[in-house]
Amino acid sequence: MRMSFTVAIAGATGYAGGELARVLLAHPEADIRTVTAHSSRGKLGDHQPHLRPLRDFEIQPLSADVLAPHDVVVLGLPHGASAAMTADIEALNPDALIVDLGADHRLESPRAWEEYYGSAASEPWTYGMPELIRASGPTQRDLLERTNRIAAPGCNASAVTFAAQPAVAAGLTEGEDIVAILSVGYSGAGKSPKTHLLASEASESAVPYAVSGTHRHIPEIAQNLHTAGASNVSMSFTPVLVPMSRGILATVSIPVVEGTSANDVLSVYQSALADEPFVVWSHAWPTTGATVASNLALVHAELDRDGRRITAICALDNLVKGTAGAAIQSINLALGLDETTGLSQVGVAP
C-alpha cells in the first residue's frame, strides 16, 4: 500500500482541475507539487483565488517533462488532448498513475467515440466509477485496485447511471425507452467565455442543450447500463442548464417489466445502495442543495402509480462526485488507500 503521494495537475486553471486541487487539499496523503496550464501563466492564485494554500504556485507549461516526475498525474484537458500527452509521460515515467478527467479514454467502442466526438478513438482505460455495477466478472473496485490508468466518468453520465443501474442489474427493466431529463449547473458547461454563459443570458432562464440524442455522454451511459446487465439500451436524454453554479438533478423514467411492484423497487434500490459510502439512498426526493461541495450522490426511486415505469432521481455535485471526487475515490483504490480518504459526505447549506 502506497501512502503519501505527489501530484501534478494539468489544466489547473479550469473548473475540473481547480476542483480536483480543492478536494485534494483535504487529502491527508496527497502532496500537490505542480500545476500546469496550456496558455495561462502567473500564480495559480491569479486564476483560482479560492485555492489559498496554492496561491503562490507558479503555473508551469503544459509538458510531459514537467508532469512526469510525480506519483499521480491528473489531466484536466480538453477532449482529444490527453492521449498524446499520456504517451509522452509514459516514455518518461511508465509507473505514474495517470487520471484523465476528460472523455478520451472512457468509451470501449471506437465506433461510438468517432460518432459522437468526430476524431480517432484512444484506448479505453479503467473506468473511474467504483460504484458501477458489473453483471459478471470482477467488480469495478477490483479493476481500479490493479490499474494505473483511470478514465474519470462524465458528470451527467454518473447521475443517470446511479439512478438507473439498480433497476437494470435486478432485471426490473430491459434498458429500453429510458427517458432522462437533467437540470445542470453552469459549471458543467466549462470555463470558456461564451455568450450563452453570460449572467445576463443565463439568469432567470433554463436552457436546453445537446438535445435530440446528440449529447456526448449518451454512449457512456449506454456502456454503463450494458455493463450492469442491460441487453439493449435506448434513451431519450435532455440536459437543461439552470441558474445555479453547480449541481445535477437527473430525473430518469425507466420502463419496468410486467409484475414489478412498488416493494420490488424499494427493495432493489435500498439493497443496491446499502453498502455504498457516497451513492446513498435518500428517503425523500433528492435536492442538489444537499450535495453541494460533497462527494455525495443522493438517489430515490418509486414505481409510478400506473405501475409501468420507475421514476428515479439522482442529485450530485457535478464538480465533485461528477468529476474530481470520483477521480480521487478511484486514485485511492489504485494506491491501496481506503476509497473514502479525503472525501466528504457533508454538503454546504444553505
Side-chain angles (χ1 to χ4, degrees):
M1 180 177 70
R2 191 182 309 182
M3 295 302 290
S4 182
F5 57 94
T6 60
V7 183
I9 303 173
T13 59
Y15 283 146
E19 189 70 359
L20 184 108
R22 184 188 72 83
V23 180
L24 274 181
L25 284 170
H27 196 296
E29 306 299 341
D31 179 9
I32 302 173
R33 295 276 184 90
T34 301
V35 295
T36 77
H38 177 68
S39 58
S40 300
R41 292 294 178 267
K43 303 291 187 182
L44 185 61
D46 296 334
H47 304 270
Q48 304 280 23
H50 63 298
L51 300 177
R52 288 195 59 78
L54 305 177
R55 63 188 180 276
D56 292 326
F57 274 45
E58 196 73 29
I59 299 171
Q60 302 295 318
L62 181 61
S63 72
D65 290 343
V66 173
L67 296 169
H70 298 81
D71 299 319
V72 177
V73 178
V74 182
L75 305 176
L77 304 176
H79 300 320
S82 296
M85 181 61 66
T86 295
D88 292 340
I89 294 170
E90 287 176 333
L92 297 170
N93 182 8
D95 296 325
L97 171 59
I98 304 177
V99 182
D100 185 14
L101 301 183
D104 289 23
H105 301 282
R106 292 173 188 163
L107 298 183
E108 296 172 2
S109 166
R111 179 178 178 182
W113 173 271
E114 291 162 7
E115 178 181 351
Y116 279 84
Y117 290 87
S119 61
S122 301
E123 66 172 333
W125 289 358
T126 307
Y127 192 58
M129 182 185 285
E131 302 87 358
L132 181 66
I133 298 173
R134 303 188 68 87
S136 60
T139 68
Q140 197 64 23
R141 288 182 169 91
D142 290 337
L143 296 176
L144 286 164
E145 287 172 357
R146 50 179 187 254
T147 191
N148 65 352
R149 300 290 180 268
I150 296 171
C155 55
N156 292 320
S158 295
V160 177
T161 298
F162 296 149
Q165 68 173 357
V168 169
L172 298 186
T173 182
E174 296 176 355
E176 297 181 323
D177 196 24
I178 294 172
V179 178
I181 309 293
L182 284 75
S183 299
V184 182
Y186 269 79
S187 59
K191 208 172 186 179
S192 298
K194 299 175 183 177
T195 300
H196 77 285
L197 303 182
L198 296 173
S200 57
E201 301 284 339
S203 181
E204 305 299 329
S205 182
V207 183
Y209 67 101
V211 298
S212 302
T214 62
H215 197 284
R216 290 173 168 179
H217 286 180
I218 291 174
E220 184 181 346
I221 298 166
Q223 177 177 286
N224 292 348
L225 299 185
H226 280 302
T227 299
S231 56
N232 189 37
V233 177
S234 60
M235 180 185 311
S236 171
F237 178 92
T238 305
V240 181
L241 290 171
V242 297
M244 59 185 183
S245 61
R246 56 168 78 203
I248 295 174
L249 188 75
T251 302
V252 185
S253 179
I254 308 163
V256 296
V257 298
E258 188 175 352
T260 298
S261 70
N263 285 336
D264 292 335
V265 175
L266 181 65
S267 175
V268 159
Y269 274 80
Q270 290 187 333
S271 176
L273 303 177
D275 298 322
E276 291 296 343
F278 296 117
V279 182
V280 302
W281 173 258
S282 173
H283 292 284
W285 290 109
T287 64
T288 57
T291 68
V292 171
S294 79
N295 199 50
L296 190 67
L298 296 174
V299 178
H300 185 88
E302 293 184 11
L303 188 68
D304 289 359
R305 181 173 292 184
D306 64 9
R308 297 180 180 180
R309 287 179 169 266
I310 294 168
T311 296
I313 295 181
C314 175
L316 53 78
D317 185 317
N318 58 295
L319 291 178
V320 189
K321 186 53 183 160
T323 307
I328 294 168
Q329 198 176 339
S330 299
I331 289 169
N332 285 337
L333 287 165
L335 296 181
L337 299 168
D338 186 292
E339 71 180 272
T340 66
T341 306
L343 297 168
S344 175
Q345 282 190 340
V346 181
V348 176

